[in-house]
Amino acid sequence: AVVSTQSTGIQINLRMDRHKAVLCPKRLLRCSHINCGDWIQADRLERHEVTCSFRLISCGEEVCEKILAISYEDHMESCPGRLVRCRYCSKAMKHKTLLDHEFWHCFQFAIVLSILFTFFLFWGFDLETIFSHKKV
């Protein structure tokens, strides 16, 4: 079979167009994460999208919605699931459980509270007035 030069040229152009558009590992593709907009070579796109600062991630707390990876540190400053330490016994816990721990479970807080009550009683403070928020 004899192929004319013209049709061979067209076939080569079509293959080259397909290569550039679909097959070439060096073709540029846009990152799929909203707000990123980076153009990445096709052979590097998967690696980029796994580490992209604009990918949605979870902080691990069920109550929190997914956040942008770039916002993770800011989110963790106010996340109810962030780790904090009790100011009385230094036990580590999630922030959302801190108040419950301090008032109902922390032995060190009970000691501080008893010292404060003793101080108030010693100096003649009326605890009923203090805790009822009445103005003296």
Side-chain angles (χ1 to χ4, degrees):
V2 177
V3 179
S4 71
T5 316
Q6 186 178 7
S7 67
T8 305
I10 292 172
Q11 287 178 351
I12 291 172
N13 284 340
L14 289 175
R15 277 193 236 140
M16 183 55 82
D17 290 345
R18 182 170 187 266
H19 172 78
K20 287 179 182 177
V22 180
L23 302 174
C24 182
K26 301 299 180 195
R27 72 188 184 284
L28 294 178
L29 298 173
R30 189 171 214 144
C31 174
S32 65
H33 296 118
I34 297 172
N35 297 325
C36 178
D38 284 355
W39 289 91
I40 312 294
Q41 289 181 349
D43 59 348
R44 296 181 183 176
L45 184 62
E46 186 177 338
R47 183 176 26 180
H48 166 79
E49 289 188 341
V50 169
T51 61
C52 179
S53 297
F54 295 98
R55 72 191 184 284
L56 290 176
I57 61 170
S58 172
C59 70
E61 223 16 67
E62 301 88 31
V63 296
C64 297
E65 293 184 16
K66 289 195 173 207
I67 56 171
L68 294 176
I70 198 169
S71 305
Y72 180 79
E73 288 183 25
D74 291 336
H75 170 77
M76 290 311 292
E77 290 179 14
S78 61
C79 178
R82 72 186 183 277
L83 286 180
V84 294
R85 292 201 173 275
C86 172
R87 62 185 139 197
Y88 304 106
C89 70
S90 298
K91 181 180 178 183
M93 66 199 67
K94 290 184 177 187
H95 183 265
K96 65 184 178 183
T97 63
L98 181 63
L99 288 178
D100 180 64
H101 164 78
E102 286 180 348
F103 284 107
W104 302 110
H105 305 288
C106 182
F107 181 71
Q108 296 295 326
F109 176 71
I111 292 172
V112 170
L113 200 56
S114 67
I115 292 170
L116 285 174
F117 278 138
T118 304
F119 175 80
F120 284 140
L121 290 173
F122 179 79
W123 290 101
F125 286 92
D126 179 9
L127 294 179
E128 187 177 330
T129 304
I130 291 171
F131 289 109
S132 66
H133 304 289
K134 293 179 185 174
K135 293 186 178 183
V136 181

